Every structure is written in structure tokens, then in C-alpha cells.
Amino acid sequence: DMAKATEGVLIPLRTQDEESTCAAVLWTVFQTRGKMDEFFNASISDHSLVSSEYVFKFLASNSGFEKVDRLEGLGTKLTKELTKCSDNNGTARRKADIATNLVDTLQRKFNALELKVGKLK
């Protein structure tokens, strides 16, 4: 019954899938933590499950920090890219407005020239 808490935990730890590994470690910590009272009440110490509980707690509490740092870095990078895109969007709009105004001006001049040519015929 005491070994039930860690039964099957090594299978996901052999994969390269960090999310599954973290979930398995965390679940095992919770399951083992529930059994720890039974160990302490029975005065059991230096048992592999007792020590593994601390290992799993360490892994569960430290394995996510790299992911959080990575996510923070990606968030900062995305914020910079969004700001750059927003600036580029403003520049593109200004250039498009200038081009539209130029086309409108040229269209008016063309229409005027077309009227003059029409009068010459």
C-alpha cells in the first residue's frame, strides 16, 4: 500500500516530454505526501519512499522555473515585436495616405488635361 504512491511514476520520467514529466512528479508528490503521515506515525525513516518524497518535492518545485523564465523571455520578445509592428503599421499608414493623396492629385490633373484635349478636338 505504501508503494502505491509512486507506482508507475518512472515511466513518464523516461520521456522527453517535460510537461508530462512535471505532471507525473507533481502528482507523485501529492500522493506520497498523503502517505508520509503513515510513515512518521510508524516511526519509519531512511526508507526509499521517504527520501524519494523529498526528491520529488525538489523536482516539482524547481522544474518549472526554467519554463517560467522562458515564458517571461518570450513575453518580452513578443511585446517588443508588437511595438515594432505597431510602429511599422503607423509608418505604413502614413505612407499609404501620402500615396493616396498623390494619386488623387494626379487623377485631378489627368481629368483636367482630358477636358483640355477634349476641347481641342
Side-chain angles (χ1 to χ4, degrees):
D1 186 41
M2 294 288 205
K4 272 286 199 208
T6 58
E7 189 174 277
V9 77
L10 292 177
I11 293 168
L13 293 178
R14 290 187 188 119
T15 69
Q16 295 298 323
D17 182 11
E18 293 176 356
E19 290 177 7
S20 295
T21 301
C22 187
V25 167
L26 190 58
W27 177 250
T28 303
V29 168
F30 291 148
Q31 294 300 310
T32 305
R33 188 68 199 147
K35 295 291 181 183
M36 291 310 294
D37 290 337
E38 294 176 34
F39 275 94
F40 290 127
N41 290 339
S43 298
I44 298 173
S45 62
D46 297 327
H47 188 277
S48 62
L49 279 178
V50 175
S51 63
S52 69
E53 190 264 344
Y54 295 112
V55 171
F56 287 136
K57 279 176 79 173
F58 173 79
L59 288 173
S61 65
N62 292 304
S63 62
F65 292 127
E66 290 174 0
K67 292 271 187 195
V68 171
D69 288 342
R70 183 171 167 240
L71 287 174
E72 286 177 346
L74 288 174
T76 302
K77 180 181 176 186
L78 287 174
T79 301
K80 288 178 183 176
E81 287 180 14
L82 180 62
T83 302
K84 183 179 176 183
C85 288
S86 180
D87 292 345
N88 289 344
N89 186 25
T91 302
R93 283 184 181 204
R94 284 190 294 279
K95 288 181 178 181
D97 286 343
I98 291 169
T100 302
N101 290 338
L102 180 60
V103 167
D104 289 342
T105 302
L106 291 173
Q107 183 66 48
R108 282 193 301 273
K109 288 181 180 181
F110 177 78
N111 290 342
L113 285 172
E114 193 174 43
L115 283 174
K116 288 181 182 178
V117 170
K119 289 180 184 177
L120 291 173
K121 287 184 182 182

